[in-house]
Amino acid sequence: MHLNYYFIRQLTNALRPTLLGLQAITAFSQNKDELILGFAGQDKEVYVRAQLSSHFTSLSFPSDFRRARANSVKLMQEMQGQTVQEVVQHLNERSFYLSLSNNYILLFKLFGNRSNIVLYKQKEAVELFQHKFAADAELAPLQMDRQLQQNFEAFAAANGNLRKIYPTFGDLPPLYLEKQNYSTASLEAKWEMVQNMLEVLESPDAYYIIRLEGKLRLSLLPMGDILHTYSDPIEAQNSYTRLYLSETGFERQYEQAKQQLERKRHVTQTVMDQSAKKLQELRHDRSYSQTADVLMANLTNIPPRATEVTLYDFYTDQSRTYKLKQTESPQKAAERVYRKAKNQHVEVKQLEEKVERKLEELIVLEDALQSLAEVQDYKQLKLYLRDYNHLLGSKQQEQQQIPFRVFESEGFKILVGKSARNNDELTQRHTYKEDIWLHAKDVSGSHVIIKHQAGKTVPATVLEKAAKLAAFYSKRKSDSLCPVMYTPKKWVRKPKGSAPGAVVVEREQVMLVQPENPFASSAK
């Protein structure tokens, strides 16, 4: 009911003694769909913060307001210095206006997603805040009262239909009446129920912030789950706006972050799969030299200026479709592919690096999504958005170093920290309680993680390879044998204020391995 006629009437009654005699001192916008109005007198300042977006419209009244130095636009300069002479509520309408000196009028039209604020002088529109509602320039603020027949005769003629007689009720009053079995009552009983409710709406005892059907609402009627109760409409409006924006802001920002991460994960997975497929073709199935051989063997079978041709591939014993350039003869195409074959090893290496890099990025994005799933409230979300800003920002911001190397064995991913600080980030941000954590015993070295897979036990062969990596990326790299401790991540904690990479392991097992990189061909 924060945009309900009956609440706006209470709000304007409270604003009248607050604003009368004050001068307009500022009007500016620093966010889309938000207008800040400032009024001041000898001993006080009053601000009105109007939020007029398509999904939420509200007024609030902060005690002070710090204007941003950048991205701030001055508006309605013509009314600066004018004095508030009256606050006028339109009858049966969700709008009111401030009557200012020198024939200026500031109209507040609070029509949900069509809300606007318009400045007039001598009945002519001077400036609209929301230019998309150009027709608002034709409104006549002095003539916007709406006369309604609301006596018993009209009520009876409408057979107690609330929408016809009381269109200003909105949705909460009918729900309130229905709790009292309004629909089954006699016409006379309905009329009495409406009159009793009107007494509350026109002179409320309190203002309630409630939750009804899962939604946060401001109400003049005690209904739903009452969360907060206020005696002042301005205080109630401020609190409701703050709570609503906090709650919906959490939901909106959470979903935006989730969608961004899922989209980036999808793109990363697609690029990795395409690169891996191309790598497979170059290594095994369709090398450039084989393609060139097939083209050369079929020079007379390729039509001139063809852009695509299907030929028998004697290497795979099946037909294949080949892409060609229209401006290139088949022989020239084969020569070009032969030249590419000479550099095939370079492309293979580049694709190997690309696949590995995308795998690293994919793990980072999956860990970020897992961390987001654990966020429960707005405070946690703010910290999350700060910590993961590099993933949610621009492409330039994303290009920070991945803190670990990635290896893969028998379907299990093994992560190896690249430095002491990277060890911290790996263990604290990319590792979860069921992951296996490994480290060379009693010496400095990389943290190593075997990522947990639900329903699967880490094979001894994978554990041994991870242990060898932990030994290889440690100060015991040159030893013949190295003790490596391993334990579920839940038994590893980082003491507050400890050095980068330093942790305390509460339970551990130890195995002896030879320091080596069993993935030497794919290591960075």
Side-chain angles (χ1 to χ4, degrees), residues 458-474:
V458 176
T461 49
V462 175
L463 185 64
E464 183 179 1
K465 288 179 181 178
K468 288 182 176 182
L469 287 171
F472 182 77
Y473 290 102
S474 78

Side-chain angles (χ1 to χ4, degrees), residues 439-444 470 474 476 482-485 508-510:
H439 195 282
K441 190 169 178 62
D442 299 329
V443 292
S444 60
S474 78
R476 295 195 180 210
C482 172
V484 174
M485 55 182 175
E508 65 182 67
Q509 292 177 277
V510 177

Side-chain angles (χ1 to χ4, degrees), residues 248-318:
T248 58
F250 168 77
E251 294 170 356
R252 189 167 60 254
Q253 291 183 56
Y254 184 97
E255 284 304 313
Q256 286 175 348
K258 184 179 179 182
Q259 289 173 11
Q260 278 184 278
L261 292 172
E262 287 179 337
R263 183 169 59 250
K264 290 182 179 181
R265 179 178 63 178
H266 173 73
V267 170
T268 301
Q269 181 74 59
T270 301
V271 172
M272 187 179 76
D273 291 345
Q274 291 172 345
S275 300
K277 182 180 178 181
K278 181 68 173 176
L279 185 60
Q280 175 71 13
E281 291 177 354
L282 292 178
R283 280 176 172 168
H284 306 289
D285 302 333
R286 302 178 182 176
S287 70
Y288 288 128
S289 60
Q290 291 176 354
T291 297
D293 289 344
V294 172
L295 291 176
M296 286 298 292
N298 290 276
L299 291 179
T300 58
N301 298 325
I302 301 175
R305 305 179 65 81
T307 58
E308 187 176 280
V309 64
T310 301
L311 302 171
Y312 171 69
D313 180 356
F314 41 79
Y315 285 104
T316 61
D317 193 28
Q318 59 185 7

Side-chain angles (χ1 to χ4, degrees), residues 3 57 93-95 109-116 144:
L3 295 181
T57 293
E93 197 59 273
R94 295 176 296 165
S95 59
K109 171 195 156 196
L110 304 176
F111 289 7
N113 59 11
R114 296 182 294 113
S115 296
N116 206 354
M144 288 176 63

